[in-house]
Every structure is written in structure tokens, then in C-alpha cells.
Amino acid sequence: MDHFMNPRNVGEIENPDAVGQVGNPKCGDIMKMYLRIENDVITDVKFKTFGCGSAIATSSMATEIIKGKTIKEALRLTNSAVADALDGLPPVKMHCSVLAEQAVKSAIYDYATKNDLYFEELEGFDPNEEHDHHDHGDDHC
């Protein structure tokens, strides 16, 4: 509840080094993440999320976890780690933690593309893939 009521790192970074966006039009959760990267370290991260309280909380927690980490460390972020850091999520809201993980990867993918870098952890990742990782009705969003 704290990360929903008092989300950290909300907003945009002017002239970011990377921007990633993922979303699920069926559900309505859309996450946009901005990164500032210096010497392979994420020195600043901000997000804008349109979605439910769990989407906001998972975005906030993901930014807190990756801030100050190297790109490689940030790529190891899992949706489970995000959910665990929030002391768990209801099963119907676990998709929000998946979106948070994907938003981080999408931003790093953008950085890698802009800088002609290769990260094994992004092998097969498609930032344009529709991220519908759950089966739910509209009442869960």
C-alpha cells in the first residue's frame, strides 16, 4: 500500500538515455520507464504508469530496486523479486509485477539499441510484444 499511496520516482527524465514502454491494452495497465545511465550504472530512473494501484506500486518498487544498479544487475530483476519486495500481490495482480519487469527490460533494450550494445539477458526479448501474461476479466484491472 505504501508504494501505491506514496510512489517513488514518479515522472519523466529530461533527455533520458533510455525509455521503455510496455502495456496491456486489454487490461489498461501501461508503464513507461525512463533511465539515466552513466558508466553502465543506472543513476536515475523515473516512471509514469496508467493503471491500477498494483501497477503503480510495482512500477515504484521496480525503480527503487534498479536505481544505483549496473545494467546487468537490473536485467536480473524478476517479477517475483518485485512482488516479494512489496510483501506479495494478490494472484490476479501478479501481471503487474510482470509488466514492471518488462518495463525495465524495455528501457534497457532501448539503451542497447541506441548504443549498439548486446546483452544476453535481452536475447529473444521483443519490446513490442503484447504483454498479456494472464487470463482475467475486466473486473481484475
Side-chain angles (χ1 to χ4, degrees):
M1 279 304 283
D2 183 41
H3 275 269
F4 166 63
M5 299 298 287
N6 305 293
R8 281 65 149 186
N9 308 307
V10 176
E12 296 179 39
I13 295 174
E14 197 170 310
N15 301 314
D17 295 309
V19 179
Q21 180 172 313
V22 294
N24 183 332
K26 291 177 188 161
C27 182
D29 294 327
I30 298 173
M31 297 180 183
K32 192 167 191 175
M33 202 157 287
Y34 304 82
L35 302 179
R36 170 91 53 233
I37 300 170
E38 295 174 22
N39 299 321
D40 198 41
V41 174
I42 299 168
T43 58
D44 196 12
V45 56
K46 302 261 188 239
F47 78 92
K48 285 184 144 183
T49 292
F50 175 81
C52 64
S54 294
I56 292 167
T58 55
S59 298
S60 174
M61 182 56 78
T63 63
E64 285 288 280
I65 292 172
I66 68 167
K67 190 184 249 183
K69 301 277 195 268
T70 66
I71 293 170
K72 288 267 192 189
E73 289 169 330
L75 283 168
R76 288 195 293 266
L77 177 72
T78 64
N79 73 298
S80 301
V82 173
D84 290 348
L86 290 168
D87 295 325
L89 289 169
V92 298
K93 294 297 182 178
M94 280 303 288
H95 70 278
C96 294
S97 64
V98 172
L99 282 174
E101 175 189 340
Q102 298 297 311
V104 170
K105 284 185 176 168
S106 180
I108 295 172
Y109 183 92
D110 180 55
Y111 181 75
T113 301
K114 287 177 179 173
N115 294 282
D116 199 28
L117 299 171
Y118 171 80
F119 296 103
E120 184 179 332
E121 296 86 351
L122 292 174
E123 188 72 40
F125 177 75
D126 180 359
N128 300 311
E129 174 186 320
E130 186 174 311
H131 299 282
D132 187 16
H133 297 281
H134 58 291
D135 182 25
H136 60 82
D138 290 337
D139 59 325
H140 292 137
C141 295

